[in-house]
Amino acid sequence: MAKPAVTRDAFRGLFAFYAAKAHHDGDPDGERSLLKLFGSSQDIPDNLLRLWSDRTEVLGPEIVGDIIGPRTKQVTNGRAQYDHASDFLHVLLRDIERQKH
């Protein structure tokens, strides 16, 4: 039986976690950017969440963390801006595809 797709709330929690870290680090701009992604993640399409779940299950948590960490840091540092959480997720999925090859 296939593993169910990651829930929207679980994915949103990722942005909340990194936003809390930015807040702790005294980075209001980074916190604001991540909270913007947190808010927009309510509207991530279900098929994109299923794709995320499928791809990350293959790689495992350490590799996925190695991909998410630097991308999130780029958002926090202002070196990358995304209009919507699904844009961020597309970039992560592209990074995962590169990692697999």
Side-chain angles (χ1 to χ4, degrees):
M1 187 155 123
K3 187 176 178 180
V6 65
T7 66
R8 186 166 283 101
D9 285 340
F11 197 83
R12 291 180 79 210
L14 179 71
F15 293 117
F17 170 78
Y18 283 107
K21 182 179 180 330
H23 177 83
H24 179 267
D25 293 346
D27 183 359
D29 293 334
E31 180 183 6
R32 191 171 16 266
S33 295
L34 290 161
L35 288 174
K36 176 184 171 188
L37 294 176
F38 172 81
S40 67
S41 62
Q42 287 181 251
D43 301 319
I44 294 174
D46 290 338
N47 64 335
L48 198 54
L49 291 171
R50 281 191 296 277
L51 185 60
W52 167 258
S53 294
D54 292 345
R55 298 295 191 270
T56 57
E57 187 175 359
V58 171
L59 293 179
E62 283 187 23
I63 293 173
V64 172
D66 290 346
I67 292 170
I68 292 173
R71 286 293 178 183
T72 305
K73 190 169 191 132
Q74 287 177 342
V75 172
T76 306
N77 292 343
R79 289 185 286 149
Q81 293 184 337
Y82 301 95
D83 292 331
H84 195 280
S86 60
D87 297 333
F88 180 79
L89 186 50
H90 278 290
V91 170
L92 291 177
L93 288 167
R94 187 185 68 219
D95 289 349
I96 285 172
E97 286 301 312
R98 285 185 189 146
Q99 185 74 22
K100 286 176 24 181
H101 299 293

